[in-house]
Amino acid sequence: MARILAVSGNEAVAEALRQVNPDVCAAYPITPQTELMQRFASFVSDGIVDTELILVESEHSAMSTCIGASAGGGRVVTATSSQGLALMWEMLYIASGLRLPIVMPVVNRSLSAPINIHCDHSDAMGARDSGWIQLWSENAQEAYDNTLQAFRIAEHMDIRLPVIVCMDGFIIGHSIQRIEYLEDEEVKKFVGEFKPLNPLLDIDNPKSYGPLILPDLYHEYKRAQHEVMTKVKDIVLDVAEEFEKIGGRRYGLFEAYRLDDAETALVILNSAAGTSKDVIDEFRERGIMAGLLKPRLFRPFPYEEVANALKHLKAICVLDRADSFGGYGPLFMEVSSALYQVRERPRMINKIYGLGGRDYLPQHAEQVLSELVEIAKTDKVEIIKEYIGVRE
Amino acid sequence: MKTKGWRELMQGAVILEAGNAVEFKTGSWRAFRPVWIEENCIQCLFCWLYCPDMAIKVKDGKRAEYNYDYCKGCGICALECPGKKGQKAIVMVEESR
């Protein structure tokens, strides 16, 4: 029996961590992740979980501690946002290079300067190339479900890679939403007992982590790391199928919303997808064939599947809540790469929206969808990349 | 030893056998070779103590020949060697000679 409650996204993810009861958590507070870890710290101090909570002096130390604990042979979590994730940067690559299955919710927030505590996706997009798997979540329910599934994906014996679970700071992290929790016993059974692989604390079999690898083998290690990423999407789907049996909610590599018979579509991550879907419903009522694709697995990016889902469209707009200054938005680059490989492909535009917590409103989706209708009609793109919701 | 292909590597570059540095021979890095002159040796074993690797062999508590597999030619042994009556027991000789 599911428990139905009204909680914030941070609270929902903290509850997932309570149910998983990891061995070690090393964390440092940062807005908007603070509430998540504060709630989890309460579980620790109330003796509700057995987790060893290590309070550290920075996120660099948090990730370093997680790496040590994970190599030691424990089930390890942390959580962060924004500058915190940026400060972890060099350690992120070490966690993935050492193939350590750490799970890290990231409550998305913009990056300085200028300093800003509100939502955009610059933090997680900065970790795009770090070798971490990334799952993105539209709402608290998805963040909760993705967090539980992240343990199964990370710890899968064919994978053993760290996983980031993204949700929008404040918009989801601090907003109260309806959520269905699984029972503790169901979660315990679903995530299963943690199976260590080559743990340092197995002192009868001493081993070394982190040797120097010179030009004679480094290239090969990176090739092997690429290979394991190619196996991730199948396992993400397997885990999602198993999750559906207990949670009743279906997950894939992405959500395709009214896409099959659509002529135009938006591609958009996280909470703004919810707003967009409402607007798409309105356009449909007016007889305009609009749809939406919301990526869930962003790393590894499922290029073929995304291309197949979008190739029949006339025009699409990829909306990015992060910019690559002097380049296109990061999601646009992925979708462009995916579609370049098919001969007949839609016209594409890129809109940058919602930086630093700027609201994404239904009128923004309407504006973009109307532009797509025009592009579909004329087959002409005037401006490829443009900011929306910006004051002139 | 045949260099491994990417499919044969231990994931995460974890080393499962302890103490395998002995398999990593570093003698080919050497530009200068230390040469031991036994008649000038006072058996102080400073060379054995100061060697940053395992290039000085000791047998029955006495200085023995070099193990050149691990000698990078750093010259610390030659520098530290007190010798006998002003004559060094270790001298560095250019490897190409």
Side-chain angles (χ1 to χ4, degrees), chain A residues 97-99 160 197-198 206-209 211 217 220-221 223 227, chain B residues 3-7 9-18 24:
Chain A
L98 296 179
R99 307 281 300 276
R160 304 302 279 199
L197 186 67
N198 306 323
K207 49 191 76 71
S208 297
Y209 273 72
L217 276 173
E220 281 70 26
Y221 273 106
R223 174 66 185 85
E227 187 70 12
Chain B
T3 312
K4 286 179 176 170
W6 66 266
R7 287 184 180 83
L9 299 176
M10 183 62 207
Q11 69 176 31
V14 181
I15 298 170
L16 297 180
E17 312 85 41
F24 188 42

PDB file of all heavy atoms in Angstrom, chain A residues 97-99 160 197-198 206-209 211 217 220-221 223 227, chain B residues 3-7 9-18 24:
ATOM      1  N   GLY A  97      35.944   7.385 -12.712  1.00  0.00           N
ATOM      2  CA  GLY A  97      37.118   6.659 -13.220  1.00  0.00           C
ATOM      3  C   GLY A  97      37.453   5.440 -12.374  1.00  0.00           C
ATOM      4  O   GLY A  97      37.910   4.426 -12.891  1.00  0.00           O
ATOM      5  N   LEU A  98      37.192   5.544 -11.060  1.00  0.00           N
ATOM      6  CA  LEU A  98      37.424   4.401 -10.169  1.00  0.00           C
ATOM      7  C   LEU A  98      36.219   3.463 -10.137  1.00  0.00           C
ATOM      8  O   LEU A  98      36.231   2.469  -9.428  1.00  0.00           O
ATOM      9  CB  LEU A  98      37.741   4.882  -8.746  1.00  0.00           C
ATOM     10  CG  LEU A  98      39.026   5.696  -8.552  1.00  0.00           C
ATOM     11  CD1 LEU A  98      39.180   6.104  -7.086  1.00  0.00           C
ATOM     12  CD2 LEU A  98      40.247   4.906  -8.992  1.00  0.00           C
ATOM     13  N   ARG A  99      35.169   3.829 -10.891  1.00  0.00           N
ATOM     14  CA  ARG A  99      33.949   3.015 -11.018  1.00  0.00           C
ATOM     15  C   ARG A  99      33.280   2.786  -9.656  1.00  0.00           C
ATOM     16  O   ARG A  99      32.963   1.662  -9.276  1.00  0.00           O
ATOM     17  CB  ARG A  99      34.283   1.682 -11.703  1.00  0.00           C
ATOM     18  CG  ARG A  99      35.014   1.827 -13.041  1.00  0.00           C
ATOM     19  CD  ARG A  99      34.080   2.180 -14.161  1.00  0.00           C
ATOM     20  NE  ARG A  99      33.070   1.164 -14.328  1.00  0.00           N
ATOM     21  CZ  ARG A  99      33.257   0.044 -15.035  1.00  0.00           C
ATOM     22  NH1 ARG A  99      34.394  -0.170 -15.645  1.00  0.00           N
ATOM     23  NH2 ARG A  99      32.292  -0.819 -15.145  1.00  0.00           N
ATOM     24  N   ARG A 160      28.594  -0.318 -12.240  1.00  0.00           N
ATOM     25  CA  ARG A 160      29.407   0.265 -11.158  1.00  0.00           C
ATOM     26  C   ARG A 160      29.883   1.667 -11.539  1.00  0.00           C
ATOM     27  O   ARG A 160      31.070   1.929 -11.728  1.00  0.00           O
ATOM     28  CB  ARG A 160      30.609  -0.626 -10.818  1.00  0.00           C
ATOM     29  CG  ARG A 160      30.259  -2.039 -10.445  1.00  0.00           C
ATOM     30  CD  ARG A 160      29.335  -2.184  -9.287  1.00  0.00           C
ATOM     31  NE  ARG A 160      29.940  -2.075  -7.980  1.00  0.00           N
ATOM     32  CZ  ARG A 160      29.368  -2.532  -6.869  1.00  0.00           C
ATOM     33  NH1 ARG A 160      28.178  -3.121  -6.925  1.00  0.00           N
ATOM     34  NH2 ARG A 160      29.951  -2.378  -5.704  1.00  0.00           N
ATOM     35  N   LEU A 197      32.353  -4.370  -4.345  1.00  0.00           N
ATOM     36  CA  LEU A 197      33.231  -4.940  -5.366  1.00  0.00           C
ATOM     37  C   LEU A 197      34.635  -4.406  -5.098  1.00  0.00           C
ATOM     38  O   LEU A 197      34.833  -3.196  -5.081  1.00  0.00           O
ATOM     39  CB  LEU A 197      32.740  -4.519  -6.757  1.00  0.00           C
ATOM     40  CG  LEU A 197      33.460  -5.152  -7.946  1.00  0.00           C
ATOM     41  CD1 LEU A 197      33.186  -6.641  -8.032  1.00  0.00           C
ATOM     42  CD2 LEU A 197      33.034  -4.467  -9.247  1.00  0.00           C
ATOM     43  N   ASN A 198      35.570  -5.307  -4.872  1.00  0.00           N
ATOM     44  CA  ASN A 198      36.953  -4.940  -4.547  1.00  0.00           C
ATOM     45  C   ASN A 198      37.045  -3.929  -3.406  1.00  0.00           C
ATOM     46  O   ASN A 198      37.689  -2.890  -3.541  1.00  0.00           O
ATOM     47  CB  ASN A 198      37.667  -4.368  -5.786  1.00  0.00           C
ATOM     48  CG  ASN A 198      37.587  -5.302  -6.973  1.00  0.00           C
ATOM     49  OD1 ASN A 198      37.655  -6.517  -6.803  1.00  0.00           O
ATOM     50  ND2 ASN A 198      37.419  -4.738  -8.162  1.00  0.00           N
ATOM     51  N   PRO A 206      44.567  -7.334   0.330  1.00  0.00           N
ATOM     52  CA  PRO A 206      44.922  -5.920   0.133  1.00  0.00           C
ATOM     53  C   PRO A 206      44.943  -5.523  -1.334  1.00  0.00           C
ATOM     54  O   PRO A 206      45.292  -6.329  -2.195  1.00  0.00           O
ATOM     55  CB  PRO A 206      46.322  -5.812   0.753  1.00  0.00           C
ATOM     56  CG  PRO A 206      46.809  -7.203   0.882  1.00  0.00           C
ATOM     57  CD  PRO A 206      45.619  -8.092   0.961  1.00  0.00           C
ATOM     58  N   LYS A 207      44.529  -4.311  -1.623  1.00  0.00           N
ATOM     59  CA  LYS A 207      44.502  -3.830  -3.006  1.00  0.00           C
ATOM     60  C   LYS A 207      44.749  -2.332  -3.040  1.00  0.00           C
ATOM     61  O   LYS A 207      44.690  -1.670  -2.002  1.00  0.00           O
ATOM     62  CB  LYS A 207      43.172  -4.183  -3.674  1.00  0.00           C
ATOM     63  CG  LYS A 207      41.949  -3.822  -2.848  1.00  0.00           C
ATOM     64  CD  LYS A 207      40.683  -4.404  -3.411  1.00  0.00           C
ATOM     65  CE  LYS A 207      40.497  -5.878  -3.151  1.00  0.00           C
ATOM     66  NZ  LYS A 207      40.196  -6.212  -1.737  1.00  0.00           N
ATOM     67  N   SER A 208      45.000  -1.808  -4.232  1.00  0.00           N
ATOM     68  CA  SER A 208      45.287  -0.378  -4.365  1.00  0.00           C
ATOM     69  C   SER A 208      44.291   0.275  -5.310  1.00  0.00           C
ATOM     70  O   SER A 208      43.980  -0.280  -6.362  1.00  0.00           O
ATOM     71  CB  SER A 208      46.685  -0.151  -4.942  1.00  0.00           C
ATOM     72  OG  SER A 208      47.656  -0.657  -4.071  1.00  0.00           O
ATOM     73  N   TYR A 209      43.795   1.461  -4.930  1.00  0.00           N
ATOM     74  CA  TYR A 209      42.968   2.278  -5.806  1.00  0.00           C
ATOM     75  C   TYR A 209      43.784   3.491  -6.261  1.00  0.00           C
ATOM     76  O   TYR A 209      44.552   4.045  -5.481  1.00  0.00           O
ATOM     77  CB  TYR A 209      41.714   2.774  -5.066  1.00  0.00           C
ATOM     78  CG  TYR A 209      40.549   1.815  -5.105  1.00  0.00           C
ATOM     79  CD1 TYR A 209      40.559   0.639  -4.364  1.00  0.00           C
ATOM     80  CD2 TYR A 209      39.437   2.075  -5.901  1.00  0.00           C
ATOM     81  CE1 TYR A 209      39.493  -0.243  -4.405  1.00  0.00           C
ATOM     82  CE2 TYR A 209      38.359   1.207  -5.945  1.00  0.00           C
ATOM     83  CZ  TYR A 209      38.392   0.047  -5.191  1.00  0.00           C
ATOM     84  OH  TYR A 209      37.327  -0.823  -5.237  1.00  0.00           O
ATOM     85  N   PRO A 211      46.055   4.083  -9.099  1.00  0.00           N
ATOM     86  CA  PRO A 211      47.448   4.102  -9.551  1.00  0.00           C
ATOM     87  C   PRO A 211      47.657   5.077 -10.709  1.00  0.00           C
ATOM     88  O   PRO A 211      46.708   5.463 -11.384  1.00  0.00           O
ATOM     89  CB  PRO A 211      47.673   2.668 -10.018  1.00  0.00           C
ATOM     90  CG  PRO A 211      46.333   2.227 -10.491  1.00  0.00           C
ATOM     91  CD  PRO A 211      45.340   2.895  -9.578  1.00  0.00           C
ATOM     92  N   LEU A 217      48.600   2.954 -21.286  1.00  0.00           N
ATOM     93  CA  LEU A 217      47.325   2.316 -20.938  1.00  0.00           C
ATOM     94  C   LEU A 217      46.156   3.287 -20.689  1.00  0.00           C
ATOM     95  O   LEU A 217      45.009   2.859 -20.667  1.00  0.00           O
ATOM     96  CB  LEU A 217      47.491   1.444 -19.679  1.00  0.00           C
ATOM     97  CG  LEU A 217      48.033   0.031 -19.919  1.00  0.00           C
ATOM     98  CD1 LEU A 217      48.298  -0.651 -18.576  1.00  0.00           C
ATOM     99  CD2 LEU A 217      47.061  -0.816 -20.735  1.00  0.00           C
ATOM    100  N   GLU A 220      43.364   3.235 -23.153  1.00  0.00           N
ATOM    101  CA  GLU A 220      42.578   1.997 -23.043  1.00  0.00           C
ATOM    102  C   GLU A 220      41.578   2.076 -21.882  1.00  0.00           C
ATOM    103  O   GLU A 220      40.451   1.601 -21.993  1.00  0.00           O
ATOM    104  CB  GLU A 220      43.493   0.778 -22.869  1.00  0.00           C
ATOM    105  CG  GLU A 220      44.142   0.284 -24.155  1.00  0.00           C
ATOM    106  CD  GLU A 220      45.191   1.228 -24.702  1.00  0.00           C
ATOM    107  OE1 GLU A 220      45.783   1.999 -23.912  1.00  0.00           O
ATOM    108  OE2 GLU A 220      45.412   1.219 -25.924  1.00  0.00           O
ATOM    109  N   TYR A 221      42.012   2.637 -20.745  1.00  0.00           N
ATOM    110  CA  TYR A 221      41.081   2.762 -19.616  1.00  0.00           C
ATOM    111  C   TYR A 221      39.884   3.638 -19.992  1.00  0.00           C
ATOM    112  O   TYR A 221      38.751   3.367 -19.621  1.00  0.00           O
ATOM    113  CB  TYR A 221      41.786   3.320 -18.376  1.00  0.00           C
ATOM    114  CG  TYR A 221      42.428   2.216 -17.558  1.00  0.00           C
ATOM    115  CD1 TYR A 221      43.802   2.028 -17.560  1.00  0.00           C
ATOM    116  CD2 TYR A 221      41.644   1.345 -16.817  1.00  0.00           C
ATOM    117  CE1 TYR A 221      44.387   0.993 -16.840  1.00  0.00           C
ATOM    118  CE2 TYR A 221      42.204   0.307 -16.097  1.00  0.00           C
ATOM    119  CZ  TYR A 221      43.580   0.137 -16.103  1.00  0.00           C
ATOM    120  OH  TYR A 221      44.139  -0.890 -15.402  1.00  0.00           O
ATOM    121  N   ARG A 223      38.718   4.108 -23.023  1.00  0.00           N
ATOM    122  CA  ARG A 223      37.910   3.331 -23.986  1.00  0.00           C
ATOM    123  C   ARG A 223      36.970   2.377 -23.229  1.00  0.00           C
ATOM    124  O   ARG A 223      35.802   2.227 -23.595  1.00  0.00           O
ATOM    125  CB  ARG A 223      38.843   2.559 -24.927  1.00  0.00           C
ATOM    126  CG  ARG A 223      38.147   1.593 -25.877  1.00  0.00           C
ATOM    127  CD  ARG A 223      37.273   2.322 -26.884  1.00  0.00           C
ATOM    128  NE  ARG A 223      36.521   1.388 -27.719  1.00  0.00           N
ATOM    129  CZ  ARG A 223      35.355   0.849 -27.361  1.00  0.00           C
ATOM    130  NH1 ARG A 223      34.815   1.140 -26.200  1.00  0.00           N
ATOM    131  NH2 ARG A 223      34.719   0.026 -28.175  1.00  0.00           N
ATOM    132  N   GLU A 227      32.865   2.202 -22.983  1.00  0.00           N
ATOM    133  CA  GLU A 227      32.131   0.960 -23.229  1.00  0.00           C
ATOM    134  C   GLU A 227      31.056   0.717 -22.163  1.00  0.00           C
ATOM    135  O   GLU A 227      29.936   0.347 -22.490  1.00  0.00           O
ATOM    136  CB  GLU A 227      33.112  -0.216 -23.276  1.00  0.00           C
ATOM    137  CG  GLU A 227      32.492  -1.534 -23.682  1.00  0.00           C
ATOM    138  CD  GLU A 227      32.069  -1.573 -25.148  1.00  0.00           C
ATOM    139  OE1 GLU A 227      32.461  -0.654 -25.905  1.00  0.00           O
ATOM    140  OE2 GLU A 227      31.344  -2.508 -25.518  1.00  0.00           O
TER     141      GLU A 227
ATOM    142  N   THR B   3      51.388  -5.754 -23.613  1.00  0.00           N
ATOM    143  CA  THR B   3      50.539  -4.694 -23.075  1.00  0.00           C
ATOM    144  C   THR B   3      49.075  -5.049 -23.325  1.00  0.00           C
ATOM    145  O   THR B   3      48.718  -5.515 -24.406  1.00  0.00           O
ATOM    146  CB  THR B   3      50.876  -3.351 -23.746  1.00  0.00           C
ATOM    147  OG1 THR B   3      52.298  -3.212 -23.723  1.00  0.00           O
ATOM    148  CG2 THR B   3      50.262  -2.200 -23.005  1.00  0.00           C
ATOM    149  N   LYS B   4      48.253  -4.824 -22.313  1.00  0.00           N
ATOM    150  CA  LYS B   4      46.853  -5.250 -22.399  1.00  0.00           C
ATOM    151  C   LYS B   4      46.013  -4.352 -23.310  1.00  0.00           C
ATOM    152  O   LYS B   4      46.255  -3.151 -23.413  1.00  0.00           O
ATOM    153  CB  LYS B   4      46.247  -5.237 -21.000  1.00  0.00           C
ATOM    154  CG  LYS B   4      46.729  -6.388 -20.135  1.00  0.00           C
ATOM    155  CD  LYS B   4      46.121  -6.315 -18.756  1.00  0.00           C
ATOM    156  CE  LYS B   4      46.545  -7.541 -17.947  1.00  0.00           C
ATOM    157  NZ  LYS B   4      46.183  -7.412 -16.546  1.00  0.00           N
ATOM    158  N   GLY B   5      44.998  -4.961 -23.944  1.00  0.00           N
ATOM    159  CA  GLY B   5      43.992  -4.212 -24.691  1.00  0.00           C
ATOM    160  C   GLY B   5      42.901  -3.740 -23.737  1.00  0.00           C
ATOM    161  O   GLY B   5      42.833  -4.191 -22.591  1.00  0.00           O
ATOM    162  N   TRP B   6      42.029  -2.842 -24.219  1.00  0.00           N
ATOM    163  CA  TRP B   6      41.070  -2.215 -23.299  1.00  0.00           C
ATOM    164  C   TRP B   6      40.068  -3.199 -22.695  1.00  0.00           C
ATOM    165  O   TRP B   6      39.553  -2.973 -21.605  1.00  0.00           O
ATOM    166  CB  TRP B   6      40.367  -1.035 -23.959  1.00  0.00           C
ATOM    167  CG  TRP B   6      39.452  -1.375 -25.117  1.00  0.00           C
ATOM    168  CD1 TRP B   6      39.785  -1.380 -26.433  1.00  0.00           C
ATOM    169  CD2 TRP B   6      38.073  -1.741 -25.051  1.00  0.00           C
ATOM    170  NE1 TRP B   6      38.706  -1.735 -27.188  1.00  0.00           N
ATOM    171  CE2 TRP B   6      37.634  -1.952 -26.375  1.00  0.00           C
ATOM    172  CE3 TRP B   6      37.160  -1.906 -23.998  1.00  0.00           C
ATOM    173  CZ2 TRP B   6      36.322  -2.329 -26.673  1.00  0.00           C
ATOM    174  CZ3 TRP B   6      35.860  -2.287 -24.302  1.00  0.00           C
ATOM    175  CH2 TRP B   6      35.456  -2.493 -25.622  1.00  0.00           C
ATOM    176  N   ARG B   7      39.819  -4.313 -23.357  1.00  0.00           N
ATOM    177  CA  ARG B   7      38.859  -5.285 -22.823  1.00  0.00           C
ATOM    178  C   ARG B   7      39.419  -6.095 -21.653  1.00  0.00           C
ATOM    179  O   ARG B   7      38.682  -6.721 -20.920  1.00  0.00           O
ATOM    180  CB  ARG B   7      38.419  -6.261 -23.913  1.00  0.00           C
ATOM    181  CG  ARG B   7      37.484  -5.649 -24.931  1.00  0.00           C
ATOM    182  CD  ARG B   7      37.006  -6.710 -25.918  1.00  0.00           C
ATOM    183  NE  ARG B   7      36.104  -6.138 -26.894  1.00  0.00           N
ATOM    184  CZ  ARG B   7      36.501  -5.492 -27.986  1.00  0.00           C
ATOM    185  NH1 ARG B   7      37.788  -5.346 -28.236  1.00  0.00           N
ATOM    186  NH2 ARG B   7      35.622  -4.991 -28.825  1.00  0.00           N
ATOM    187  N   LEU B   9      41.321  -4.941 -19.136  1.00  0.00           N
ATOM    188  CA  LEU B   9      41.731  -4.147 -17.979  1.00  0.00           C
ATOM    189  C   LEU B   9      40.819  -4.373 -16.778  1.00  0.00           C
ATOM    190  O   LEU B   9      39.637  -4.646 -16.921  1.00  0.00           O
ATOM    191  CB  LEU B   9      41.721  -2.661 -18.347  1.00  0.00           C
ATOM    192  CG  LEU B   9      42.659  -2.260 -19.481  1.00  0.00           C
ATOM    193  CD1 LEU B   9      42.471  -0.790 -19.806  1.00  0.00           C
ATOM    194  CD2 LEU B   9      44.108  -2.540 -19.092  1.00  0.00           C
ATOM    195  N   MET B  10      41.395  -4.208 -15.600  1.00  0.00           N
ATOM    196  CA  MET B  10      40.628  -4.259 -14.355  1.00  0.00           C
ATOM    197  C   MET B  10      39.828  -2.967 -14.250  1.00  0.00           C
ATOM    198  O   MET B  10      40.395  -1.882 -14.374  1.00  0.00           O
ATOM    199  CB  MET B  10      41.624  -4.363 -13.191  1.00  0.00           C
ATOM    200  CG  MET B  10      40.964  -4.488 -11.848  1.00  0.00           C
ATOM    201  SD  MET B  10      39.985  -5.990 -11.750  1.00  0.00           S
ATOM    202  CE  MET B  10      38.786  -5.479 -10.538  1.00  0.00           C
ATOM    203  N   GLN B  11      38.518  -3.083 -14.028  1.00  0.00           N
ATOM    204  CA  GLN B  11      37.713  -1.862 -14.021  1.00  0.00           C
ATOM    205  C   GLN B  11      38.134  -0.923 -12.883  1.00  0.00           C
ATOM    206  O   GLN B  11      38.464  -1.362 -11.779  1.00  0.00           O
ATOM    207  CB  GLN B  11      36.230  -2.175 -13.955  1.00  0.00           C
ATOM    208  CG  GLN B  11      35.733  -2.758 -12.653  1.00  0.00           C
ATOM    209  CD  GLN B  11      34.231  -2.933 -12.700  1.00  0.00           C
ATOM    210  OE1 GLN B  11      33.649  -3.179 -13.744  1.00  0.00           O
ATOM    211  NE2 GLN B  11      33.600  -2.832 -11.555  1.00  0.00           N
ATOM    212  N   GLY B  12      38.171   0.366 -13.203  1.00  0.00           N
ATOM    213  CA  GLY B  12      38.582   1.369 -12.229  1.00  0.00           C
ATOM    214  C   GLY B  12      40.076   1.351 -11.939  1.00  0.00           C
ATOM    215  O   GLY B  12      40.525   1.997 -11.005  1.00  0.00           O
ATOM    216  N   ALA B  13      40.847   0.599 -12.722  1.00  0.00           N
ATOM    217  CA  ALA B  13      42.307   0.509 -12.555  1.00  0.00           C
ATOM    218  C   ALA B  13      42.694   0.049 -11.155  1.00  0.00           C
ATOM    219  O   ALA B  13      43.754   0.411 -10.635  1.00  0.00           O
ATOM    220  CB  ALA B  13      42.981   1.843 -12.897  1.00  0.00           C
ATOM    221  N   VAL B  14      41.833  -0.747 -10.518  1.00  0.00           N
ATOM    222  CA  VAL B  14      42.141  -1.241  -9.171  1.00  0.00           C
ATOM    223  C   VAL B  14      43.224  -2.328  -9.285  1.00  0.00           C
ATOM    224  O   VAL B  14      43.165  -3.171 -10.172  1.00  0.00           O
ATOM    225  CB  VAL B  14      40.872  -1.825  -8.502  1.00  0.00           C
ATOM    226  CG1 VAL B  14      41.181  -2.323  -7.098  1.00  0.00           C
ATOM    227  CG2 VAL B  14      39.771  -0.779  -8.457  1.00  0.00           C
ATOM    228  N   ILE B  15      44.201  -2.267  -8.394  1.00  0.00           N
ATOM    229  CA  ILE B  15      45.271  -3.281  -8.372  1.00  0.00           C
ATOM    230  C   ILE B  15      44.927  -4.289  -7.289  1.00  0.00           C
ATOM    231  O   ILE B  15      44.809  -3.939  -6.117  1.00  0.00           O
ATOM    232  CB  ILE B  15      46.634  -2.623  -8.097  1.00  0.00           C
ATOM    233  CG1 ILE B  15      46.973  -1.625  -9.216  1.00  0.00           C
ATOM    234  CG2 ILE B  15      47.720  -3.678  -7.969  1.00  0.00           C
ATOM    235  CD1 ILE B  15      48.173  -0.770  -8.921  1.00  0.00           C
ATOM    236  N   LEU B  16      44.730  -5.526  -7.696  1.00  0.00           N
ATOM    237  CA  LEU B  16      44.263  -6.543  -6.750  1.00  0.00           C
ATOM    238  C   LEU B  16      45.389  -7.286  -6.033  1.00  0.00           C
ATOM    239  O   LEU B  16      45.166  -7.901  -5.006  1.00  0.00           O
ATOM    240  CB  LEU B  16      43.359  -7.556  -7.463  1.00  0.00           C
ATOM    241  CG  LEU B  16      42.059  -6.986  -8.038  1.00  0.00           C
ATOM    242  CD1 LEU B  16      41.246  -8.069  -8.715  1.00  0.00           C
ATOM    243  CD2 LEU B  16      41.235  -6.309  -6.945  1.00  0.00           C
ATOM    244  N   GLU B  17      46.617  -7.240  -6.593  1.00  0.00           N
ATOM    245  CA  GLU B  17      47.716  -7.933  -5.915  1.00  0.00           C
ATOM    246  C   GLU B  17      48.556  -6.898  -5.184  1.00  0.00           C
ATOM    247  O   GLU B  17      49.036  -5.947  -5.783  1.00  0.00           O
ATOM    248  CB  GLU B  17      48.630  -8.690  -6.895  1.00  0.00           C
ATOM    249  CG  GLU B  17      47.917  -9.559  -7.900  1.00  0.00           C
ATOM    250  CD  GLU B  17      47.485  -8.785  -9.127  1.00  0.00           C
ATOM    251  OE1 GLU B  17      48.269  -7.938  -9.602  1.00  0.00           O
ATOM    252  OE2 GLU B  17      46.366  -9.013  -9.599  1.00  0.00           O
ATOM    253  N   ALA B  18      48.743  -7.150  -3.886  1.00  0.00           N
ATOM    254  CA  ALA B  18      49.569  -6.223  -3.099  1.00  0.00           C
ATOM    255  C   ALA B  18      51.043  -6.470  -3.411  1.00  0.00           C
ATOM    256  O   ALA B  18      51.440  -7.582  -3.761  1.00  0.00           O
ATOM    257  CB  ALA B  18      49.301  -6.441  -1.616  1.00  0.00           C
ATOM    258  N   PHE B  24      57.624  -3.707 -11.611  1.00  0.00           N
ATOM    259  CA  PHE B  24      57.788  -2.482 -12.391  1.00  0.00           C
ATOM    260  C   PHE B  24      59.264  -2.091 -12.391  1.00  0.00           C
ATOM    261  O   PHE B  24      59.778  -1.521 -11.433  1.00  0.00           O
ATOM    262  CB  PHE B  24      56.924  -1.371 -11.782  1.00  0.00           C
ATOM    263  CG  PHE B  24      56.862  -0.110 -12.596  1.00  0.00           C
ATOM    264  CD1 PHE B  24      56.724  -0.161 -13.982  1.00  0.00           C
ATOM    265  CD2 PHE B  24      56.943   1.136 -11.989  1.00  0.00           C
ATOM    266  CE1 PHE B  24      56.653   1.009 -14.732  1.00  0.00           C
ATOM    267  CE2 PHE B  24      56.881   2.301 -12.732  1.00  0.00           C
ATOM    268  CZ  PHE B  24      56.737   2.238 -14.108  1.00  0.00           C
TER     269      PHE B  24
END
